[in-house]
């Protein structure tokens, strides 16, 4: 099983993702945005960065790349797709995940570690985590305020599609620990089947103690296991949390 | 006194130049010089072209005829201070620029040093002061763009950015707007391209209200055998234009940067370029792929003075000529004239020299990255720079006339009148404040000393997954390719020191940079410098410049550090008011410990119970200190001299302790003195997961004749605060004595407070703190003040 990391023009966390995956002993390959196939990868990662400069709107141009049609097919056939930061923005623009990512309430780019709480363990990215587990992960974005209108937001919550929520070091969710004003403190979501996942924090930056922490490892390991087992719809079968 | 030469400039001896020399003549007069009659200058020579009549006559003499308008514009930019270094050149020769590790010294886009195992590091610092004042966001953003291109033209992948920002007081909304715009600009560009901004400095000083300084440093990594130079070699080779199309932005930017501002110069906004970081990212990837495949002969960024400067420099380095068809340059706007195309400073453009048979391969790589290319000319043997416009000659100039024959001045110098006044420090008029805890709080709330998180959290400082020591430390550490080898980087410079004593201030900038990288455990290898000064036509400013450079050069020699690249920014004055002399030094250090990559430390205390050691001398001198400025509103006094042997011993001992795995933390004692350094080491331990942090109980050795505020806040050089586990003190003491570094145990890490007392005698202060504490404060309270200092001033505390 191998994992593909898409390189859009302007992606800048592609090498970091490849490194983080390879450091776990996984075969990871770059996928060029002009390609129209995922080259048989079991999982595809859309990395962070500024695809097409984030001009117009984050992810709005990248979703039109040839590779996106292949990713859509991959997702619809149950394949694992993970969007990190700009990749999350692209997945919402492409309609593979619900919601939008708006400008942070503070109107500034924020780069620092935050705490997130695992809300759902039936997604491709969180199956190796414990429910309620608190992870320290870095964020680095100016447009990360998750937004979804009602009643879709309630529906998202009820179906257990919120996988990560910003919280305090001891797992409390409140406004003080929400770095960007995301609705309900949402830091990551998945689709109804749990195989397509998007999150604003960067797990690939939290896999090495020398860089300040290894809390991203359980996410990377989940992704790999989900892609290898290829069990199909996971979340739909799971009971709502 | 180790710096003997200081006597020539300051203090005991008399300064070398007491009065201005006669009006300057260029040192390198051309053989033929035009008579007055045949070289009557065109109207508006000074205003439009920023050239003197003398310089115009020189041009006519060199050409043997009058230049046409295009040619005069070319001379205007090529002979500008910014491009020609005509006032600074003779002084810059004093810098040592060679060394066993130097693969490329000054004169190229960036300097390059060998770091072993086939790896090399390219490094340079550059200013974007004038544009940032006029349009802070774009000015700073394009500053980042320019320095990134300087690095990747050498074949190096940029791995780290740093910024040195000097702003006016933040009480003034105009200065807040400037700082906000500059930080957003650096963030907007660097984050988008995906190069981490790993550190920097912020200095607040009155004089920067109308003259902010924005200096950006970049370091990149390359395989040493892939080093590419910016040469237009090989007659017949094609000149290939790559990147953004040429517009009318930034025309005469280099000329603007070579003149001082006057009120109302906001009109110069059209001189500022607009950055496109997305294009930069594509250009970066395309260029590195081209270089990786060995497809290029030479590569040069079109920076200041655009196509003109880049093409002339490439031909000059190779000793060739160039023939350029200007109408083939991709243009963004209609009806551009040849001279607009020559002088445009549109961003994200590169000039490559390619052999004809490689052209298809080059074009294919650029197509892959959606980078536009155009063949605009070829390398010739004529030694001339020939421009054609739809087949007709537009200009034809000898390349030598634009480069080597540009005037070089030895500007007159004069010791400034302020010298006498500022040297005296009537300390008796400045009583020791009763509440020194409050003094510490006031100092830590000031933007220069407060936490810079508000700035560096707007920068992506982690992208690349190699930032081992993030911003907020003495030096940042970035490892090379996720491996054990790492580089340390610092930017430093104290302009107040340089005002009070430019020679020593310049020397201290170099010495402190080396100390900063030593504090993380790295061996200093090389420096890059950005020299920000006022107008060289002012003899007092020129005196400051010459003295600063000499101090820096002497310090570099003493420390064995070559200057591998740099930038000079003169005319930093508005309405005749110059900035303080402001050299900014970027220092590169190397950490090369195969198998022991963990032997890197930061400034924060590590474990309760650790002993706190002070390496270096003790005293109470307050001259030039941040304390005097912030508390007594005085910027004056004599700087404490530097004992270079002691400095070297302290730095070496610090590195040895870290290498032996004995030091838990190490922190340079700089602005704010010992008290602020101790506070910073404690403040760094307060994190969301450890909100109480780790305080310290410290007793500083004092004496009856020493001022308590001087012991706490005086700024002696050559001092490092270091922590060691108690049971390893004996091991550490052996290393310390073999390095001949003076040291004292001054306290112990622990508790939730920072408590400092000043002992009456020096006997065993760690065992039993003597005397009543002069500073005693809860760490949480101290942290809140320090953390909120900058955001509160910026009106952005949340």
């Amino acid at each position: 099983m191998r994992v593909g990391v898409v390189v859009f023009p302007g992606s800048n966390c592609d090498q970091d993702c490849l490194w983080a995956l390879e450091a776990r002993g996984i075969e990871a390959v770059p996928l060029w945005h002009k390609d129209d196939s995922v080259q048989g990868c079991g999982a595809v990662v859309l990395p962070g960065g500024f695809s097409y400069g984030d001009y117009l709107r984050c992810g709005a141009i990248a979703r039109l790349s040839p590779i996106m049609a292949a990713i859509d097919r991959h997702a619809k056939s149950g394949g694992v797709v993970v969007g990190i930061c700009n990749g999350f923005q692209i997945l919402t623009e492409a309609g593979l995940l619900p919601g939008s990512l708006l400008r942070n309430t503070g109107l500034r780019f924020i780069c620092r570690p935050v705490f997130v709480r695992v809300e759902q363990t039936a997604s491709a990215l969180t199956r190796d985590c414990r429910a309620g587990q608190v992870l320290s992960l870095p964020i680095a974005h100016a447009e990360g305020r998750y937004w979804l209108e009602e009643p879709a937001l309630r529906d998202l919550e009820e179906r257990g599609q919120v996988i990560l929520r910003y919280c305090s070091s001891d797992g409390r969710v409140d406004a003080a620990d929400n770095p960007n004003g995301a609705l309900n403190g949402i830091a990551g979501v998945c689709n109804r089947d749990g195989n397509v996942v998007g999150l604003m924090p960067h797990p690939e930056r939290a896999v090495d103690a020398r860089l300040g922490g290894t809390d991203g490892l359980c996410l990377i390991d989940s992704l790999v296991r989900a892609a290898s087992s290829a069990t199909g719809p996971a979340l739909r079968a799971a009971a709502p949390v | 006194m180790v710096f003997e030469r200081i006597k020539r400039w300051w203090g005991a001896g008399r300064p070398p130049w007491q009065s201005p020399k006669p009006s300057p003549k260029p040192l390198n007069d051309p053989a033929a010089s035009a008579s007055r009659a045949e070289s009557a200058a065109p109207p508006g020579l000074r205003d439009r072209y920023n050239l003197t009549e003398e310089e115009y006559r020189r041009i006519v003499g060199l050409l043997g005829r009058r230049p046409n308008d295009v040619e005069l514009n070319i001379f205007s930019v090529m002979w500008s201070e910014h491009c020609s270094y005509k006032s600074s050149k003779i002084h810059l020769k004093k810098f040592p620029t060679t060394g066993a590790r130097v693969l490329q010294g000054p004169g190229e886009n960036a300097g390059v040093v060998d770091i072993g195992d086939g790896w090399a590091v390219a490094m340079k610092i550059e200013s974007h002061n004038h544009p940032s004042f006029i349009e802070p966001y774009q000015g700073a953003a394009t500053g980042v763009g320019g320095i990134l291109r300087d690095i990747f033209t050498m074949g190096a992948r940029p791995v780290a950015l740093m910024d040195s920002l000097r702003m006016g007081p933040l009480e003034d909304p105009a200065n807040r707007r400037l700082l906000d715009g500059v930080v957003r600009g650096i963030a907007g560009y660097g984050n988008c391209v995906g190069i981490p901004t790993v550190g920097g400095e912020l200095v607040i000083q009155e004089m920067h209200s109308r003259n902010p300084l924005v200096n950006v440093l970049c370091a990149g990594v390359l395989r040493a055998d892939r080093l590419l130079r910016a040469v237009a070699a090989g007659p017949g080779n094609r000149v290939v234009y790559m990147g953004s199309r040429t517009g009318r932005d930034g025309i005469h930017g280099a000329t603007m940067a070579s003149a001082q501002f006057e009120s109302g110069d906001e009109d110069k906004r059209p001189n500022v370029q607009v950055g496109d970081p997305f294009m930069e990212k594509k250009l970066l990837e395309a260029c590195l792929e081209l270089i990786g495949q060995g497809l290029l002969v030479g590569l040069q960024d079109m920076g200041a003075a655009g196509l003109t400067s880049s093409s002339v420099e490439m031909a000059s380095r190779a000793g060739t000529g160039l023939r350029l068809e200007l109408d083939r340059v991709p243009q963004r706007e209609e009806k551009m004239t040849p001279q607009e195309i020559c002088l445009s400073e549109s961003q994200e453009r590169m000039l490559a020299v390619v052999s004809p048979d490689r052209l298809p391969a080059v074009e294919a790589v650029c197509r892959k990255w959606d980078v536009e290319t155009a063949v605009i000319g070829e390398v010739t043997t004529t030694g001339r720079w020939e421009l054609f416009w739809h087949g007709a000659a537009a200009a034809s100039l000898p390349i030598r006339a634009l480069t080597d024959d540009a005037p070089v001045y030895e500007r007159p110098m004069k010791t400034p009148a302020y010298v006498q006044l500022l040297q005296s420090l009537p300390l008796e008029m400045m009583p020791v404040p009763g509440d020194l805890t409050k003094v510490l709080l006031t100092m830590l709330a000031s933007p220069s000393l407060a936490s810079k998180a508000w700035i560096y959290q707007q920068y992506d400082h982690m992208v690349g997954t190699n930032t081992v020591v993030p911003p907020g430390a003495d030096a940042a550490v970035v490892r090379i390719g996720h491996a054990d080898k790492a580089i340390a980087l610092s930017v430093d410079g104290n302009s107040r020191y340089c005002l009070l004593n430019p020679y020593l201030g310049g020397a201290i900038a170099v010495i402190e940079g080396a100390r900063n990288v030593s504090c993380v455990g790295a061996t200093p290898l090389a420096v890059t410098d950005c020299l920000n000064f006022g107008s060289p036509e002012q003899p007092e400013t020129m005196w400051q410049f010459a003295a600063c450079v000499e101090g820096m050069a002497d310090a570099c020699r003493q420390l064995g550090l070559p200057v591998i690249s740099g930038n000079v920014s003169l005319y930093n004055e508005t309405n005749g008011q110059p900035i303080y002399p402001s050299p900014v030094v970027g220092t590169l250090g190397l950490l090369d410990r195969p198998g022991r990559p963990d032997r890197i430390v930061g400034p924060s205390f590590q474990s309760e119970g650790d002993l706190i050691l002070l390496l270096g001398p003790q005293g109470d001198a307050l001259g030039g200190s941040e304390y005097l400025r912030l508390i007594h509103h005085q910027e004056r006094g004599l700087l404490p001299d530097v004992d270079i042997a002691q400095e070297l011993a302290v730095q070496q001992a610090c590195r040895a302790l870290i290498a032996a795995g004995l030091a838990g933390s190490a922190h340079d004692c700089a602005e704010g003195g010992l008290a602020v350094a101790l506070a910073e080491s404690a403040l760094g331990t307060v994190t969301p997961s450890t909100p109480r942090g780790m305080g310290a109980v410290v007793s500083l050795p004092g004496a009856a004749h020493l001022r308590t505020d001087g012991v706490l806040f005086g700024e002696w050089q050559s001092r490092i605060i270091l922590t060691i586990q108690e049971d390893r003190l004996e091991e550490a003491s052996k290393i310390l004595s073999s390095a001949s570094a003076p040291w004292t145990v001054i306290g112990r890490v622990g508790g939730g407070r920072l408590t400092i007392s000043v002992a009456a005698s020096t006997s065993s202060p760690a065992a039993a703190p003597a005397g009543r504490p002069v500073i005693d404060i809860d760490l949480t309270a101290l942290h809140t003040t320090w953390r909120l200092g900058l955001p509160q001033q910026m009106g952005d505390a949340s």
Side-chain angles (χ1 to χ4, degrees), chain B residues 23-40:
Chain B
S23 162
K25 281 260 182 202
L27 295 176
N28 54 341
D29 260 336
S33 157
S35 78
R36 274 175 196 279
E38 65 187 343
S39 60

Side-chain angles (χ1 to χ4, degrees), chain A residues 7-17 19 32-34 49-55 103 106-113 115 136 138-140 169 202 204-208 210-212, chain B residues 180 184 187-188 190-195 275-279 281-282 367-370 454 456-468 479 482-484 486 597-598 600 688-689 796:
Chain A
V7 184
F8 295 100
S11 293
N12 63 32
C13 301
D14 46 327
Q15 295 302 316
D16 300 358
C17 287
W19 164 74
W32 186 238
H33 68 111
K34 290 176 185 171
F50 291 69
S51 57
Y52 293 93
D54 277 355
Y55 299 155
R103 197 141 178 80
L107 303 180
R108 290 180 192 282
F109 190 97
I110 307 168
C111 177
R112 64 177 167 89
F115 293 104
S136 170
I139 56 167
S169 59
H202 287 268
E204 80 279 11
R205 296 185 184 186
V207 296
D208 183 342
R210 290 185 63 206
L211 300 178
Chain B
D180 184 53
R184 282 177 189 276
N191 295 354
C192 183
V193 182
I195 312 303
D276 177 354
F278 175 54
M279 174 56 84
K281 169 70 173 166
K282 292 191 294 179
R367 247 194 326 275
K368 172 185 165 189
W369 289 102
D370 298 320
W454 183 85
Y456 65 71
Q457 288 184 350
Q458 296 187 55
Y459 302 150
D460 191 340
H461 50 268
M462 305 172 181
V463 62
T465 47
N466 277 317
T467 310
V468 177
R479 61 187 177 184
H482 299 108
D484 290 353
D598 52 324
I600 294 173
S689 344
D796 188 28

